[in-house]
Amino acid sequence: MDKYIEPHIEWIEETQRKLENKLRYVRERSAEKIPYTTINGVHDDWRYKKIGRWTNGFWAGLMWLMYMSSKDERYREIAEYNEMLLDEALKNADDLNHDTGFMWLLSAGANYRLFGGRDSKNRILAAASALAARYNINAEYIRAWNGEDRLGYSIIDCMMNLPLLYLASDITHDPRFKLIAEKHAMSAMKNHLRPDGSVYHVINYDIQTGEVTIPDKTQGYNSKTSSWSRGQAWAVYGFVLSYIHTGNTAFLDASKRAAHYFIANLTEDSVPLCDFRAPDMPVYHDTSAGTCAACGLLELYRIVPEHEKKLYFNSAMRILKATERDYADWDCENDTLIKNGCEAYHDGLQDLPLIYGDYYFAEALYKLRGGDVLLW
């Protein structure tokens, strides 16, 4: 057994047991839903609200993680039903933006990696083509969102969507998808990543020249000086994923820089604030930022030389154990799993259970238990 994992194995296995016990109930209540959050302990359902919402692949991804851990076919059935529901989004260009990776990597992508299949492959390629079509060849970035007022927008979130393009190149043996992903990642490394390792959430490119400005928009506390923790987590995990898919060590170094900033700015309770540079009050934590970052830290731990492993592994465990201790809900009567996610600092979108926070918590456990299928 890995010497880093061995001291934590009792906690890992007990937490996995609690997760499996809870999800056996939750999966049945939400089998036909596409959840985003819970309301009074009950999953909401985005099937008929907005089928193209960026979070709509995470329920399928969670089901696939549980299937891989348990080989319980019921998880596979629910995941494949969710994948089928997302076909409606592929039919409407207005539903598609830079987040097609979040939606189809964890649904069709997971299915294809495990079982192959023409339908899943076609969904991946359709979604990847839509993402690649957003690439601006002048400024070398993948455009975020839609609307004439956002033509030059790039956001750090897109780093997590690039693996859809890497997968499409693997499937087709056509490098064009991968080349676009690499170009965007290079631009993000240059323009989103600050010298201290923190990140800008949003970059606005001149669509002809590539000149960069920072717009007054962010999901953190404010625009130009904020340090939105989930954006930081997208950078930690997103850059190491681009390293895994390309072998470009510049992306590995970028992930480390982002990780060092993330680790250094954790408070004593080890669960990140929604914005690392927010005022002292009010206090908004974001458990989803922590669980996502933990997954990226575990990939760094897996990759780096022996003398570097301890920092990344211990930091991931510190986050995961604190999240489980303070914010996990193991009551099988509630659909809520991980509490106190923060969708955005403003607009009342704090202290929410978030499906992607649940997903990344389960993914981290899957990694710690030796799972070797990378869904990204």
Side-chain angles (χ1 to χ4, degrees), residues 297-309:
L297 292 169
L298 289 174
E299 286 301 319
L300 284 170
Y301 145 77
R302 183 180 65 81
I303 289 167
V304 298
E306 176 63 30
H307 67 277
E308 297 183 39
K309 289 183 181 295

Side-chain angles (χ1 to χ4, degrees), residues 72-84:
D72 184 336
E73 286 291 325
R74 181 59 174 149
Y75 288 115
R76 178 180 175 178
E77 292 171 3
I78 296 169
E80 290 182 336
Y81 177 74
N82 187 267
E83 177 183 341
M84 179 189 67

Side-chain angles (χ1 to χ4, degrees), residues 36-37 44 46 53-54 217-220 228 230 274 284-288 340-354 356:
Y36 157 63
T37 187
D44 62 355
W46 283 76
R53 182 180 176 83
W54 74 275
K217 180 177 178 59
T218 181
Q219 285 178 252
W228 179 47
R230 196 166 74 250
C274 180
Y284 298 135
H285 287 94
D286 186 3
T287 53
S288 73
N340 283 76
C342 184
E343 175 72 17
Y345 189 92
H346 301 288
D347 302 325
L349 298 174
Q350 312 92 20
D351 300 334
L352 298 171
L354 296 168
Y356 45 92

Side-chain angles (χ1 to χ4, degrees), residues 333-344:
E333 297 300 313
N334 296 328
D335 296 340
T336 298
L337 178 58
I338 303 296
K339 300 177 287 187
N340 283 76
C342 184
E343 175 72 17

Side-chain angles (χ1 to χ4, degrees), residues 103-119:
M103 297 175 67
W104 280 282
L105 276 168
L106 302 180
S107 54
N111 200 349
Y112 182 80
R113 291 184 192 280
L114 292 172
F115 300 108
R118 184 183 65 180
D119 289 345

